[in-house]
Amino acid sequence: MKKLYIKALAALMLSVGATSCGDSFLETEISNGIDLDGGLSNVQNIGYALNGTYYRLFHYYFSGNYATSIGDIASDITYWNGSTGHWSDFYQFTPTETSTYLYYIWNYGYKVADNSSRIIKAGKELTDLTEDEQSDLDEFMAEAYALRAYAHFQLVNVFAHQYMVNGTSFADQPGIVVIDEPIAAGAQVSRSTVGDAYKAIESDLLKSLEYFDRAGWENDGIFYLTPAAVQGLLSRVYLYEEKYAESAQAAQAALDLKGITELTYTDAAYKALYNGGASNKESFFALNINTTDNWSANSCGTLWSTYSYSPSPYLQSIMAEDDVRRAVWGWASNSTPTTPFFNSGKFGAFGLGGNPAYGTNYLINAPEMFLNQAEAYLKLNQLDNAKDALLIVAKRNPAITSVADLPTSAEELFAFIQEERARELFQEGFRLYDLRRWDIKANLYATGAPNINWFIKDFKISDCVFPIPADEINAGFGVEQTPGWSSTFPTI
């Protein structure tokens, strides 16, 4: 039976907009007039509610911009030309408890997590279903578990200490509010530990795969979560937990489900991945941003063009001039070496008129899987396997054609993998978390383009923890601020 909720996003946005446009943390009326507190009495309504939950994830307040962009803006691979003030406090590592960006990441992350929990609870209570209804419900449950895991994972990475840092566990550090049951309005809550948050995330992803298997699902798109996307996210989670064998295995499962063994290696083929919409054949999960349904000035494409951000001189220095990933790089007519304006890169929407607002976020992709495997195999001392996985991505540089072109020692190979993740995953929001989990003494706050200059040098970024939004702390529902968070940032 065809999914009930899969519709054009324009219809979805209209239905959500007509019923609830507010920013209440536990807002429950979400899509087609369905209220999550009492309206999930049948499979069709659960489908509508799931639609609305995807919209929360899609919003620029969360994965559509803020929760994705923060991972690259606060890193060494991005340059801010100073022409606008967007994100400048994160680029300069001077965040505050009243940051609008942090407020909305927290707010919308918990909309996704709480709404998903309500769907899961209601789904468990439905009985006497037809075979088709049960199949649909199993798919909806699978996606709800995955959505909750995705939201929790984004939240714990932004608002808590990195779980594992180069072999050292920080599992006992303050984490996030883990929602495993719907939270009643006004209820008291508390933060879990980082370790417990990761346990919940991992559990939800495994439960998602169970429900997908029960539903007998078949792969048919990238605009909603699928088994391939869930396996890909699980590989990411395992890598951050330093469960290397499990990460490599999940990555392979994701690749096998999509039938991907190679990537694109020409300028034209690579650029075509970013034509917009479903053009990226290397993607497992993307947001359906397009010419009709997009965030305009609040889009990632605008951030990476008119809002002043571009690849840093450091990133440019480690990218070969004929690397195919440069095929999506370009510079605006008003760009100068000292005040660069990027063309939006991966958000180019080259097949949709080149308007950067139409470029979508490809959130879980095949290249990451090969890089996860490369790092995992290296840590497992399987250097040949690491090189084989790494080569599939590294061949984007035409000078690299075989494993003989890769470093031979484990130390040099790891350094190459670290740089390759910077080259390949630029604009996908990973760099901050990579630098933290590797315990890099980072150079940050690039200045003086086109030269490689840093205002912050050798900063121990693994200790960096963003604050819980002041509005949440002051609400009095039990969430406590991370002790000493401000001391984890450099003094500017």
Side-chain angles (χ1 to χ4, degrees), residues 195-264:
D196 284 340
Y198 268 79
K199 287 178 183 177
I201 293 162
E202 187 178 320
S203 175
D204 275 355
L205 291 174
L206 294 173
K207 184 65 71 174
S208 173
L209 292 172
E210 288 180 19
Y211 272 98
F212 272 127
D213 185 62
R214 195 179 303 175
W217 178 93
E218 294 182 3
N219 190 332
D220 58 357
I222 66 171
F223 294 134
Y224 47 91
L225 287 155
T226 64
V230 173
Q231 290 283 11
L233 183 56
L234 191 57
S235 173
R236 188 184 302 171
V237 172
Y238 282 143
L239 187 71
Y240 285 25
E241 293 177 310
E242 297 188 2
K243 294 182 177 180
Y244 295 120
E246 293 89 339
S247 179
Q249 183 178 19
Q252 191 59 53
L255 293 165
D256 288 345
L257 284 165
K258 293 287 285 188
I260 294 177
T261 59
E262 287 285 302
L263 301 176
T264 56

Side-chain angles (χ1 to χ4, degrees), residues 73 78-89 91-92 307-313 338-340 445-449:
I73 298 299
T78 298
Y79 190 82
W80 172 56
N81 69 21
S83 296
T84 72
H86 299 275
W87 286 101
S88 60
D89 48 347
Y91 182 81
Q92 297 170 314
Y307 283 178
S308 308
Y309 289 93
S310 61
S312 70
T338 55
T339 308
Y445 188 174
T447 65

Side-chain angles (χ1 to χ4, degrees), residues 1-6 42-51 53-54 116 119-120 123 126 132-147 208 211-212 215 217 224-225:
M1 186 173 181
K2 186 66 177 175
K3 283 184 174 65
L4 297 166
Y5 74 94
I6 296 299
N42 57 61
V43 175
Q44 183 176 31
N45 284 1
I46 285 179
Y48 288 137
L50 187 65
N51 222 2
T53 306
Y54 269 104
S116 299
I119 291 169
I120 291 166
L126 290 186
D132 282 345
E133 287 175 331
Q134 187 62 59
S135 178
D136 281 344
L137 178 62
D138 287 340
E139 289 191 32
F140 297 159
M141 293 286 282
E143 290 170 82
Y145 273 110
L147 282 165
S208 173
Y211 272 98
F212 272 127
W217 178 93
Y224 47 91
L225 287 155

